[in-house]
Amino acid sequence: MASGDIAQITEALAKTHVGEVELSYKGRGLKLDNAESVKEMVQEIEQCQGLQSLRLEGNTLGVEAAQAIAKSLEAKRELEQCHWSDMFTGRLRSEIPPSLKSLGNALMTSGARLTHLDLSDNAFGPDGVKGIESLLKSSACYTLRELRLNNCGMGIGGGMVLASALMECHKQSSAAGSPLRLKVFIAGRNRLENDGATALAKAFKLLGSLEEVHVPQNGINHPGVTALATALKHNPNLQVLNLNDNTFTRRGSIAMAEAITHLQCLKVINFGDCLVRSEGAIAIAGALRAGLPFLRELNLSFGEICEAAAVVVAKAVQGKADLEKLDLNGNCFGEEGCEALREMMESMNIEDLLGSLSDDEGEPDDDDDDDDEEEEEEEEEEEEEEENEHEEGAKENGVNGTKDIIEEKEKPQCSSELTSFLIFPSAEKLISLGAKRTQLIEQQVDVSDASTVSEVFLKISSVYKDEPEVKQAIFESTDALLKKVFSNSHSQSYSFITSLIVNLGLLKSEDKKIKKVTVLPGHLLALEHAAAQEFFPADQAGVLEAFVSRNGKVLESCCSARDALKTTLVKMTTA
């Protein structure tokens, strides 16, 4: 190494604050093939007293060179940070695991306690993960706070090995009296897919200490997303969540929305290019309404979200004092929709938060089939067939049958009458239930199932007649049902509103189980009556108003009832 380089290192060390001793060879493009090529580097490492951080990124190490460097690290007990990204460029895949094992063994021998380990951009594949497996399980990583493995090509197998190693580290460190408290986990572009993500989810749940999770571009679909969502709920200090360019669809989006209600420290949410779609966006809006006071950035770009759902999201972020950016670019608003969204945000004095909409995809064509959801639709159809094996096929007013509408438990004496009404609704049957009808509905309808509640609401309101006794029976029944629904969590009540919007034909759903009904005036009048009551939340009224206002033509056959509903909803949202 030239004397000038040594002088630069000496000068850099002289400027280093006490307790932050670092040697950096970052970005020098050195081709280090053997022991001779790293002779001076080894000497510098050996002579550096109290070395805490070693930067080797941007060079390329062969097996012999790695072994020589490893030998120099065996006495570096104070080493805490290993910045070793992009250090195998041009090497054979077979060279990388032994190099990593040599370096890892040296760290274990030294008695070092790492806080930062960065091996990003090394493309070492599943075998590379095995090369660091022993290190990750060892006491050298009991104190690890940041683990960066971005763009390493780990694959499903590597993800499983990594997850197992982290869980073993947590187990062993806990037994030693100081549990692993990893804060930052980065593993984007690794082809983890569902199985790899599910394995890591188990580790995340066990850790419970994560503050940043970045796993973009990993080919994760809704099963893996759901597993991650379930695990992340157990990390209450999570501040940054980046799942960009995976595939949520409806089920994954709803699971993730429910999870973030438990993560009140979140500052950055990046669900861009995740196909959250409109139903998912509404669910996420519900989570935003439930809290997240420190949110700074929300990215829901390129998610096939319609303008009405975007409005719901925009209203949900109003009042977030720390919010700096709302990214809704690349969705399906159309020119008029983009302008309407801008105007709406301007009216709320938050127009500066909205990012560019230059890549908007335009309004969706209802006749287009989305190729990306074909597999999911097939799965849902199979599930529906299984569920209907033992079901009579009565479906009134275009909604599903009565399976699961009545909770599977001991039913009161009159339950058969309620069941009879739900199978073949009529005003006479509803009235014949008498004064106990509201009690029966409250007791027997599973309000945790959004689609069930929507179906029951539509069945009851479908028998509407402009007769006092009938109207009273309907309004009492539907009010009792919705009052119970809205007493539940934000996520459940938002799910109900979304199901209802889909049933009414105001939003297209990817869930084949949620059917569009033939809209009747009674549906809208019962909803209008409920919306005027104190129990009906203003934010839920806002969701309905956004879709009714923008899709009024769908309700043209019931224009009078539609206008009455719209008027009431506007009053609710502007009060």
Side-chain angles (χ1 to χ4, degrees):
M1 180 175 291
S3 59
D5 293 334
I6 297 175
Q8 288 178 0
I9 293 171
T10 303
E11 182 181 356
L13 289 175
K15 293 179 180 179
T16 302
H17 297 295
V18 175
E20 297 179 354
V21 181
E22 178 179 271
L23 273 178
S24 178
Y25 303 91
K26 180 179 179 180
R28 297 193 181 184
L30 302 174
K31 193 172 187 296
L32 308 172
D33 296 324
N34 48 45
E36 182 63 28
S37 65
V38 294
K39 184 176 179 180
E40 292 186 29
M41 183 186 291
V42 166
Q43 183 179 359
E44 291 164 4
I45 292 172
E46 291 175 342
Q47 292 177 354
C48 184
Q49 298 300 311
L51 179 63
Q52 289 184 300
S53 176
L54 179 61
R55 309 195 74 104
L56 297 176
E57 63 264 55
N59 299 290
T60 176
L61 274 65
V63 175
E64 290 185 21
Q67 290 172 342
I69 293 172
K71 187 69 176 176
S72 71
L73 294 176
E74 290 180 355
K76 297 302 173 182
R77 185 179 181 86
E78 294 85 0
L79 188 62
E80 296 178 350
Q81 300 187 27
C82 297
H83 301 281
W84 296 347
S85 63
D86 188 22
M87 62 177 193
F88 295 113
T89 301
R91 300 293 171 180
L92 296 175
R93 181 70 66 88
S94 59
E95 293 183 81
I96 301 176
S99 297
L100 291 172
K101 286 181 180 178
S102 297
L103 294 166
N105 288 338
L107 295 173
M108 290 186 281
T109 300
S110 71
R113 294 293 185 267
L114 298 182
T115 59
H116 295 66
L117 178 60
D118 186 356
L119 291 166
S120 299
D121 301 316
N122 279 314
F124 47 53
D127 290 339
V129 183
K130 294 177 182 177
I132 59 171
E133 182 179 8
S134 296
L135 172 63
L136 291 174
K137 291 179 179 180
S138 75
S139 59
C141 288
Y142 287 2
T143 51
L144 197 61
R145 295 295 178 263
E146 295 190 12
L147 179 58
R148 299 170 182 265
L149 297 168
N150 200 58
N151 192 31
C152 288
M154 290 189 289
I156 294 172
M160 290 180 170
V161 172
L162 175 60
S164 178
L166 290 174
M167 288 190 287
E168 182 63 21
C169 183
H170 185 273
K171 177 182 177 181
Q172 296 297 335
S173 60
S174 297
S178 182
L180 172 64
R181 294 193 58 78
L182 189 67
K183 293 184 178 182
V184 177
F185 180 87
I186 300 176
R189 300 183 66 187
N190 271 292
R191 306 193 312 275
L192 294 171
E193 300 182 16
N194 291 330
D195 290 343
T198 300
L200 283 169
K202 295 177 182 177
F204 294 169
K205 181 178 180 180
L206 183 64
L207 289 170
S209 57
L210 292 167
E211 296 181 5
E212 291 189 27
V213 173
H214 303 259
V215 285
Q217 289 184 287
N218 269 294
I220 306 170
N221 299 325
H222 73 82
V225 172
T226 300
L228 288 171
T230 302
L232 291 173
K233 287 191 292 187
H234 298 273
N235 292 263
N237 295 319
L238 192 67
Q239 297 179 30
V240 179
L241 179 55
N242 178 6
L243 285 163
N244 189 284
D245 199 10
N246 289 292
T247 306
F248 283 24
T249 59
R250 175 181 176 274
R251 284 181 281 185
S253 299
I254 290 174
M256 195 57 72
E258 198 280 328
I260 62 178
T261 61
H262 299 268
L263 303 172
Q264 293 302 305
C265 294
L266 273 173
K267 296 180 180 179
V268 177
I269 298 174
N270 187 344
F271 296 160
D273 205 12
C274 283
L275 210 63
V276 299
R277 294 198 172 116
S278 298
E279 290 173 280
I282 295 171
I284 291 168
L288 296 172
R289 289 278 191 179
L292 280 69
F294 308 112
L295 189 66
R296 289 203 313 255
E297 294 182 21
L298 175 62
N299 185 345
L300 295 178
S301 60
F302 298 94
E304 294 189 3
I305 300 169
C306 70
E307 185 242 337
V311 166
V312 174
V313 172
K315 289 181 177 180
V317 301
Q318 186 181 20
K320 304 290 183 191
D322 295 338
L323 193 68
E324 298 172 358
K325 184 176 182 181
L326 173 62
D327 190 347
L328 293 170
N329 196 22
N331 283 297
C332 305
F333 306 156
E335 289 185 16
E336 292 184 3
C338 288
E339 186 59 31
L341 179 62
R342 291 190 191 97
E343 290 178 357
M344 190 273 295
M345 293 191 68
E346 184 176 357
S347 70
M348 297 190 296
N349 295 317
I350 56 174
E351 68 274 15
D352 292 341
L353 303 180
L354 184 63
S356 170
L357 299 177
S358 60
D359 295 317
D360 186 74
E361 296 287 341
E363 292 184 76
D365 186 345
D366 291 337
D367 295 328
D368 286 344
D369 291 324
D370 190 342
D371 293 335
D372 292 335
E373 67 182 79
E374 284 183 359
E375 290 184 7
E376 180 155 354
E377 289 179 347
E378 289 174 4
E379 291 174 6
E380 289 176 345
E381 287 171 358
E382 289 173 3
E383 291 172 5
E384 188 173 340
E385 288 174 4
E386 292 175 3
E387 290 175 357
N388 292 334
E389 281 181 357
H390 306 292
E391 180 183 357
E392 293 291 331
K395 295 188 178 182
E396 284 292 302
N397 296 312
V399 295
N400 289 344
T402 59
K403 188 177 187 297
D404 293 333
I405 289 181
I406 303 300
E407 289 186 277
E408 294 300 323
K409 59 183 179 182
E410 290 187 11
K411 302 177 180 65
Q413 186 175 358
C414 296
S415 65
S416 61
E417 294 175 331
L418 178 60
T419 302
S420 174
F421 166 78
L422 292 173
I423 294 175
F424 297 109
S426 71
E428 292 72 23
K429 288 183 180 180
L430 183 63
I431 292 172
S432 70
L433 291 174
K436 290 186 177 181
R437 58 178 164 261
T438 58
Q439 183 180 357
L440 289 173
I441 291 169
E442 289 174 347
Q443 290 178 345
Q444 297 176 50
V445 177
D446 180 8
V447 295
S448 66
D449 186 332
S451 60
T452 291
V453 178
S454 181
E455 290 170 20
V456 173
F457 175 85
L458 292 170
K459 283 178 179 289
I460 295 172
S461 57
S462 69
V463 302
Y464 179 89
K465 294 180 181 179
D466 193 14
E467 299 174 6
E469 186 178 17
V470 176
K471 288 198 292 185
Q472 181 179 354
I474 289 173
F475 292 159
E476 286 179 354
S477 300
T478 53
D479 284 1
L481 179 64
L482 297 193
K483 188 174 183 179
K484 187 175 179 182
V485 171
F486 293 133
S487 67
N488 285 342
S489 67
H490 254 71
S491 60
Q492 288 182 340
S493 57
Y494 266 76
S495 292
F496 158 69
I497 288 293
T498 305
S499 293
L500 187 62
I501 289 170
V502 172
N503 286 147
L504 293 174
L506 301 173
L507 175 65
K508 185 177 180 181
S509 175
E510 67 185 57
D511 187 347
K512 304 291 283 187
K513 299 175 187 176
I514 304 178
K515 305 296 184 181
K516 177 182 175 182
V517 305
T518 299
V519 181
L520 303 173
H523 294 148
L524 306 184
L525 293 173
L527 192 55
E528 187 270 334
H529 179 272
Q533 308 308 308
E534 290 185 0
F535 65 77
F536 205 101
D539 57 328
Q540 309 286 9
V543 177
L544 278 171
E545 191 275 330
F547 279 86
V548 172
S549 297
R550 289 160 178 79
N551 298 278
K553 291 183 180 180
V554 176
L555 307 176
E556 192 66 38
S557 61
C558 309
C559 58
S560 179
R562 176 201 64 194
D563 294 343
L565 172 60
K566 183 178 177 180
T567 300
T568 298
L569 292 174
V570 170
K571 287 180 180 178
M572 283 284 293
T573 55
T574 57

